[in-house]
């Protein structure tokens, strides 16, 4: 569990495509409840996908959700039960 840990990532300009943030060695257990908390701000047209997933193909998502980002900083919490187990998800 990464409770109490903080990571700051700032992107000044991003035109299109996808960005991935990799946090190694996150252990998830099937059926366990998780909460992903993050702060986001930006000018984004569509929803932003947030997920903890497998690092290799087939890139299975264990916990996921979507948020709508606004220009003002907002706190988001994605809650869910892991659909699988992995000792190196992220």
């Amino acid at each position: 569990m990464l409770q109490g840990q903080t990571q700051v990532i700032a992107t000044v300009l991003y035109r299109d495509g996808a960005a991935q943030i990799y946090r190694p060695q996150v252990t998830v257990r099937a059926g366990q409840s998780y909460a992903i908390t993050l702060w986001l701000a930006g000018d984004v047209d569509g929803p932003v996908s947030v997920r903890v997933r497998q690092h290799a193909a087939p890139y299975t998502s264990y916990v996921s959700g979507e948020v709508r980002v606004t220009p003002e900083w907002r706190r988001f919490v994605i809650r869910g039960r892991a659909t699988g187990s992995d000792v190196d998800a992220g």
Side-chain angles (χ1 to χ4, degrees):
M1 183 183 323
L2 300 175
Q3 186 172 3
Q5 294 188 18
T6 302
Q7 185 175 12
V8 176
I9 298 170
T11 302
V12 177
L13 177 65
Y14 197 84
R15 296 202 185 275
D16 61 63
Q20 296 184 32
I21 301 168
Y22 171 68
R23 176 74 183 204
Q25 299 174 339
V26 175
T27 299
V28 293
R29 291 185 178 86
Q32 178 74 36
S33 293
Y34 292 92
I36 304 166
T37 304
L38 62 155
W39 287 81
L40 296 172
D43 183 12
V44 180
D45 291 331
V48 172
S49 295
V50 178
R51 62 188 75 207
V52 174
R53 69 176 191 160
Q54 185 179 24
H55 286 297
Y59 306 104
T60 303
S61 291
Y62 301 118
V63 180
S64 64
E66 290 188 342
V67 297
R68 293 279 180 173
V69 178
T70 65
E72 290 79 34
W73 284 99
R74 288 185 50 204
R75 179 180 182 257
F76 296 95
V77 180
I78 308 295
R79 297 181 190 280
R81 290 193 184 276
T83 58
S85 295
D86 194 332
V87 296
D88 192 26

